[in-house]
Every structure is written in C-alpha cells, then in structure tokens.
C-alpha cells in the first residue's frame, strides 16, 4: 500500500489570535473590523465527531493509511479489502445523525457550505431545517456508489444488501459484529481477513464499482469543483470549521481567499496547513464555537438547544 505523507508533520498548535467573542463579532459584522457577513464555510471531520464519526488527525485519532485510488484499482484483492471493510462499517456510518453543530450551522445565513466530509450530515441537517444555503460534497458521499465503466449510480443501501447476499457468513467467519465496530471517517473499519470477500460488479455493464467519493490520489469532479469555487469566489470571506486543511482540495480555497485579500477565519483545536494564512484563529472545539456563533446570529435565527 502506498505511504501517504503527512503534510502536518512538524506543525504545532498555534495560539488563538482573538477571543471567540471577538471572532464572532467579526462573523456577525458587529466589530467593524470586516465589512462582510457573506461567509463561505469549509468544513472537515471535526464537524462530525459529536455524531460519532471519528476524525483523521484529532488528539484521539488512530493513525491509519486510507486507501488510495491507485491501490483500489491495482488488484481484485485490494477491492475486496475495501468493500469488506466498508460493508462492515456501513451500518454504523448510516446510523449517524446530524449533531448540534450541523443543525446550528444550517440555521446561519452563510453563502454556502463546502464540506470535505463524506457522511452526508450537512445535507441531512439542511433538509431537517429547510435551509436554503447550498451544500457541496467536495469529496463525494458514501451513500452513493458509482460504476467506473459507464457511470451508472447506485444507492449504497442497495449495494449493501447485494453484498450481504454474496457474503452471508462473512461476519461470522471473521468474528465481528457490525454494530459494535469503530468506523473511520470514510466509513470503513480495520479488518485484516478480507481476501474471501465477494465483490459486486455493476449489474448493468459488469464494470467496477466504487463509492462515489474522492480517494487519495483522485480528483474532485470538475462540475463539483466549479460550484465550490463559485460559492467561495462570490463570498466575501471564508470560515474553516474542523479541518486541518491537510488535503490540497480544501487548502486551495483558503489560499485563494488570502490571495484575494479576503478575511480567513480558522476554527479547530489542532494545527492546520493554513495557519499562516489565517486572519482570525480560534482553537476552541468547533461545536462550542458554532453554538456561540448561532446564538449571536441576526434576529430570526435561533440556535438549537445543545444535543
């Protein structure tokens, strides 16, 4: 398996540049320091930890090597390895629900949300609350499966049922309970014995199936990237919530904002790859910060009770 270089190696947690109250004054336009409330929001795994979805680089994160696109494509055994681990992890991932931070962010009048997460929780929160703010799944979503041959799209629950029929005794053989396992941010689990797992091919053309997510070494689809760029370009500033910005696909938006002299706000409790670009930096927990931001929002926007 390819070894993925950690771009955060050697970086340390910075000091907060301002108090959270001062940052929220900036976000709500009451400070006078920044003449905008038109914020684009970029979110990472730290948004979903309170929903039971672990992050990659938080203080309690287990070091791991996510599968690259090249590895997935390289051999049938690697695809069996991915799909076995994903099949075990899907029930737990599917049961995740939006937490208070998702719901409170959905209530805020932001220009749009670009998320690096693949758990679909921002969309679920927006649907629950009837939010009009657009949400872009920059890295795709685990609830969709795509055929790499013809582009056919399938519902992940349907794929799960087919895989269960192809592998009726797999959980018993490996001695694992899908309900009790700890999933990773991309929905799979640590599992070693996977070579006997039967993989599903596209039922329409026999092509290779993969989750409709952007693997390491893969590229964000052009149309999706264009829409994310539009949101960030039209906004007057960018707020990063719960992302280390270790992946270039997210960091590029911060770099573009800084280059355009737009204010950059970063909120996460660890170091990020964009700290030197931040005009405003908080090291608070994302959930606490978003709650305080929503509580200070314009009249008519009410923060949800903490869950």
């Amino acid at each position: 398996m390819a070894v993925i270089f950690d771009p955060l190696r050697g970086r340390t947690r910075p000091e907060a540049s301002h108090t959270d109250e001062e940052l929220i004054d900036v976000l709500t336009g009451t400070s006078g320091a920044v003449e905008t409330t038109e914020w684009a929001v970029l979110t990472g795994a730290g948004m979903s930890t309170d929903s039971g979805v672990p992050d990659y680089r938080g203080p309690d994160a287990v070091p791991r090597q996510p599968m690259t696109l090249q590895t997935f494509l390289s051999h049938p055994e690697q695809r069996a390895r991915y799909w076995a681990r994903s099949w075990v992890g899907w029930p737990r991932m599917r049961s995740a629900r939006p937490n208070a931070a998702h719901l409170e962010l959905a209530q805020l009048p932001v220009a749009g949300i670009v998320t690096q997460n693949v758990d679909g929780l921002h969309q679920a929160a927006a649907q629950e609350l009837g939010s009009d703010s657009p949400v872009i799944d920059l890295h795709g979503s685990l609830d969709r499966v795509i055929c790499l041959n013809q582009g056919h799209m399938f519902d992940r629950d349907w794929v799960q049922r087919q895989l269960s029929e192809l592998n009726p005794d797999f959980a018993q053989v490996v001695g694992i309970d899908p309900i009790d396992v700890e999933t990773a941010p991309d929905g799979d689990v640590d599992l070693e014995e996977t070579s006997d797992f039967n993989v599903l091919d596209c039922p329409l053309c026999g092509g290779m199936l993969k989750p409709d997510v952007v693997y390491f070494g893969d590229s964000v689809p052009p149309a999706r990237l264009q829409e994310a760029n539009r949101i960030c370009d039209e906004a007057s500033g960018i707020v990063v919530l719960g992302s280390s910005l270790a992946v270039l696909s997210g960091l590029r938006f911060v770099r573009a904002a800084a280059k355009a002299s737009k204010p950059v706000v970063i909120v996460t409790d660890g170091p990020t790859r964009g700290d030197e670009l931040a005009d405003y930096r908080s090291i608070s927990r994302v959930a606490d910060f978003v709650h305080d931001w929503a509580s200070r929002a314009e009249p008519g926007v009410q923060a949800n009770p903490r869950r």
Side-chain angles (χ1 to χ4, degrees), residues 130-141:
S131 172
D132 293 330
S133 295
V135 178
I136 304 300
D137 282 319
L138 190 65
H139 294 159
S141 181

Side-chain angles (χ1 to χ4, degrees), residues 277-288:
L277 301 174
D279 300 290
Y280 303 93
R281 184 67 162 90
S282 169
I283 53 175
S284 297
R285 289 186 71 250
V286 169
D288 296 334

Side-chain angles (χ1 to χ4, degrees), residues 67-271:
M67 182 172 285
T68 66
L69 177 65
Q70 292 77 14
T71 300
F72 183 85
L73 297 175
S74 66
H75 197 276
E77 286 189 3
Q78 294 294 347
R79 293 189 288 281
R81 174 176 174 269
Y82 172 80
W83 278 113
R85 293 157 64 110
S86 179
W87 176 79
V88 173
W90 175 244
R92 185 75 176 269
M93 179 63 73
R94 189 183 186 283
S95 68
R97 294 293 179 264
N99 61 52
H102 292 113
L103 295 168
E104 288 164 347
L105 181 59
Q107 291 177 308
L108 286 165
V110 299
I113 299 169
V114 178
T115 183
Q116 299 172 97
N117 300 337
V118 295
D119 51 36
L121 296 179
H122 281 299
Q123 288 83 349
Q127 183 175 10
E128 180 175 336
L129 297 178
S131 172
D132 293 330
S133 295
V135 178
I136 304 300
D137 282 319
L138 190 65
H139 294 159
S141 181
L142 285 171
D143 65 359
R144 304 187 301 263
V145 175
I146 189 170
C147 167
L148 296 182
N149 185 29
Q150 297 290 336
H152 304 299
M153 200 73 72
F154 301 95
D155 179 75
R156 181 65 178 81
D157 285 334
W158 179 85
V159 171
Q160 184 78 3
R161 293 193 295 271
Q162 302 307 306
L163 290 173
S164 296
E165 292 179 6
L166 290 171
N167 300 275
D169 302 319
F170 184 77
Q172 291 181 334
V173 170
V174 298
I176 196 167
D177 185 346
I179 300 301
D180 295 332
V181 296
E182 182 71 24
T183 58
D186 47 9
D188 63 356
V189 300
D190 286 328
L191 191 64
E192 296 303 323
E193 299 299 325
T194 61
S195 59
D196 293 332
F197 192 82
N198 295 309
V199 173
L200 178 70
D201 292 326
C202 177
L204 300 179
C205 69
M208 188 185 304
L209 295 181
K210 71 177 282 290
D212 189 26
V213 298
V214 177
Y215 283 10
F216 284 87
D218 203 352
S219 299
V220 177
R224 191 183 304 161
L225 180 59
Q226 182 178 9
E227 182 62 11
N229 281 329
R230 183 194 64 77
I231 289 173
C232 294
D233 289 345
E234 292 180 359
S236 301
I238 188 167
V239 183
V240 179
L241 299 175
S243 173
S244 65
L245 299 173
V247 180
L248 182 59
S249 59
L251 179 62
R252 71 175 69 187
F253 300 109
V254 172
R255 287 178 171 172
K259 185 176 181 179
S261 299
K262 296 179 180 180
V264 174
V265 180
I266 297 180
V267 182
T268 191
D269 57 3

